[in-house]
């Protein structure tokens, strides 16, 4: 039987996982020695993520954190799988043989860092370590050098970014999940807090006005180009199938990438626009030269200063 105090600690670490727009689309349910991660579909993003792909990738990230934290507290986890209705089921068992996962040390310091990185290639031993991260079955991690990645991804990132900022509904959804001051971010404990983007507090009224009228497809193209060029390398995560199970597995792989790179002092952030737009997603698959694999996440990585951390909701809001 899972100890109550351990349960709370494990869920606390699981909730540190990344999620699209920091929606934290999860709830956790305990029964005996089983934890269920339940998708909270009221937190979905119908415009940018109509199929809930990113939502289930986020649940996969939470699952990976959960398994890593559980191992640290002496539990082995078994039979993690996607159930049809009840989300992800994780059976936990106390085990003296369980060795804590090294990645546990980075659960709290990991972040998605949205500033500009040093525009220089990473040493080969570092990129080789990233390449050796073990993927989940049916998923793949491709690591690209700076030079190769800029050439392949820059045109697609800007093309997709322009498409998104021409779409009023996309901007409105982004405004809805943006938090324009510390106070607002602390009140909700979710969403994209402006400080994590390096933008000063503006308040909701001014902030949303800027987003709706001053951020244009052209300004976005410029901003994205700068981010791509100021990178040390790129990671593309792919999966064999575009279904819930593979989305969850992709999330686990992404989280291992995020934690491993954090441990090496490497920052990362998303360049997901070409995955999110159907037209550019096809082109991205062609650019990656994959046969049958589907792009799931595109990331940039490199060296940079840490940014303010995004916030999380209180545990009582996510534990059933
Ligand atoms: C599936 C997925 C998709 C994401 N897409 C983007 C994205 O397109 N742009 C972005 O800046 N961040 C993206 N993020 C990062 C989240 O916004 C970030 O995880 C969240 O704000 C919490 O911050 P943290 O990861 O630093 O704790 C994504 C995260 C996940 C898990």
């Amino acid at each position: 039987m899972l100890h109550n105090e351990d349960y709370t600690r494990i869920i606390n670490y699981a909730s540190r996982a990344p999620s699209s727009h920091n929606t934290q689309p999860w709830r956790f349910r305990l029964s005996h020695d089983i934890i269920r991660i339940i998708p909270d579909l009221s937190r979905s993003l119908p415009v940018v993520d109509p199929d809930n792909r990113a939502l289930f990738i986020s649940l996969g990230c939470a699952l990976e954190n959960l398994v890593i934290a559980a191992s640290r507290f002496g539990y082995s986890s078994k039979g993690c799988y996607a159930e049809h209705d009840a989300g992800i089921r994780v059976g936990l068992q106390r085990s003296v043989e369980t060795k804590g996962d090294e990645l546990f040390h980075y659960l709290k310091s990991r972040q998605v860092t949205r500033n500009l990185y040093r525009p220089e290639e990473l040493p080969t031993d570092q990129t080789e370590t990233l390449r050796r991260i073990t993927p989940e079955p049916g998923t793949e991690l491709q690591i690209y050098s700076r030079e190769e990645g800029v050439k392949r991804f820059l045109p697609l990132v800007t093309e997709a970014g322009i498409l998104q900022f021409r779409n009023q509904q996309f901007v409105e959804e982004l405004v809805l999940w943006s938090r324009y001051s510390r106070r607002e971010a602390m009140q909700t404990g979710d969403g994209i807090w402006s400080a994590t983007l390096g933008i000063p507090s503006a308040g909701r009224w001014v902030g949303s006005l800027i987003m709706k009228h001053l951020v244009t497809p052209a300004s976005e193209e410029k901003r994205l180009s700068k981010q791509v060029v100021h990178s040390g390398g790129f990671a593309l995560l792919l999966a064999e199938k575009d279904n819930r199970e593979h989305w969850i597995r992709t999330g686990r792989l992404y989280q291992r990438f995020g934690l491993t790179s954090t441990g090496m002092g490497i920052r990362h952030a998303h360049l997901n626009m070409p995955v999110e737009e159907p037209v550019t997603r096809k082109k991205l698959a062609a650019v990656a030269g994959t046969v049958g694999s589907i792009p799931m996440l595109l990331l940039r990585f490199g060296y940079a200063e840490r940014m303010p951390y995004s916030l999380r909701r209180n545990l009582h809001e996510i534990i059933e």
Side-chain angles (χ1 to χ4, degrees):
M1 175 97 178
L2 187 59
H3 200 276
N4 241 346
E5 195 180 294
D6 288 342
Y7 173 57
T8 314
R9 286 197 293 179
I10 290 169
I11 301 306
N12 194 17
Y13 281 107
S15 74
R16 295 299 320 163
S19 59
S20 43
H21 285 17
N22 197 21
T23 50
Q24 303 161 43
W26 44 61
R27 289 199 312 272
F28 297 88
R29 188 183 295 160
L30 174 69
S31 54
H32 302 289
D33 52 1
I34 291 167
I35 297 180
R36 283 192 168 81
I37 307 176
I38 316 281
D40 183 348
L41 298 179
S42 70
R43 298 184 153 261
S44 66
L45 299 166
V47 181
V48 75
D49 186 32
D51 302 325
N52 286 330
R53 184 194 306 122
L55 187 147
F56 280 94
I57 293 177
S58 307
L59 295 189
C61 297
L63 169 63
E64 187 62 17
N65 271 18
L66 192 155
V67 168
I68 292 171
S71 80
R72 167 74 180 189
F73 300 124
Y75 296 89
S76 66
S77 42
K78 258 207 252 152
C80 315
Y81 61 91
E83 279 180 340
H84 186 60
D85 290 310
I88 306 168
R89 178 189 188 278
V90 191
L92 295 170
Q93 230 174 12
R94 258 228 171 273
S95 157
V96 280
E97 281 150 36
T98 304
K99 285 200 201 100
D101 192 317
E102 179 61 20
L103 295 179
F104 175 84
H105 301 293
Y106 312 114
L107 290 180
K108 282 197 166 159
S109 52
R110 180 215 59 85
Q111 66 168 206
V112 168
T113 311
R114 294 193 183 84
N115 51 9
L116 298 178
Y117 306 161
R118 290 212 306 259
E120 57 192 54
E121 298 285 0
L122 263 63
T124 318
D125 60 323
Q126 296 231 315
T127 46
E128 279 312 308
T129 305
L130 295 177
R131 272 198 186 98
R132 279 199 299 272
I133 294 171
T134 316
E136 287 292 298
T139 67
E140 190 190 335
L141 171 66
Q142 294 183 351
I143 301 293
Y144 290 83
S145 68
R146 174 176 184 273
E147 192 188 347
E148 197 56 35
V150 171
K151 217 166 42 199
R152 288 184 196 225
F153 303 129
L154 179 59
L156 291 178
V157 168
T158 51
E159 182 184 341
I162 290 170
L163 283 175
Q164 290 186 326
F165 274 80
R166 277 190 190 144
N167 178 353
Q168 195 61 33
Q169 287 178 321
F170 170 88
V171 175
E172 273 169 19
E173 189 175 73
L174 192 57
V175 167
L176 188 72
W177 283 97
S178 294
R179 307 289 174 251
Y180 298 97
S181 64
R182 172 182 283 275
R183 190 154 156 249
E184 195 182 13
M186 286 185 74
Q187 261 166 9
T188 61
D190 62 13
I192 305 166
W193 175 24
S194 49
T196 66
L197 300 161
I199 298 171
S201 274
R204 174 149 289 269
W205 192 76
V206 175
S208 54
L209 218 64
I210 293 173
M211 290 268 291
K212 284 182 184 168
H213 301 291
L214 293 184
V215 179
T216 61
S219 71
E220 193 57 14
E221 179 184 14
K222 211 163 147 192
R223 189 183 73 89
L224 291 172
S225 301
K226 224 166 157 186
Q227 285 186 350
V228 173
V229 171
H230 284 79
S231 297
F234 300 85
L236 180 63
L237 281 74
L238 306 111
E240 278 169 12
K241 293 194 177 133
D242 208 14
N243 62 23
R244 200 188 262 204
E245 199 169 335
H246 283 77
W247 299 336
I248 292 167
R249 289 182 189 175
T250 302
R252 297 194 71 171
L253 171 59
Y254 164 45
Q255 190 59 0
R256 285 211 280 272
F257 173 89
L259 296 170
T260 306
S261 53
T262 300
M264 295 160 68
I266 298 169
R267 312 261 170 239
H268 82 275
H270 293 247
L271 291 169
N272 276 340
M273 313 77 199
V275 178
E276 290 158 355
E277 292 297 312
V279 179
T280 44
R281 198 174 186 209
K282 279 205 187 107
K283 293 185 188 172
L284 184 60
V287 159
T290 60
V291 186
S293 289
I294 305 155
M296 293 283 156
L297 290 176
L298 179 62
L299 309 168
R300 61 187 172 103
F301 58 78
Y303 301 118
E305 293 301 314
R306 193 172 285 175
M307 296 286 280
Y309 279 88
S310 67
L311 304 183
R312 292 296 184 275
R313 287 180 294 154
N314 288 324
L315 285 187
H316 68 80
E317 292 178 61
I318 55 171
I319 294 182
E320 288 189 351

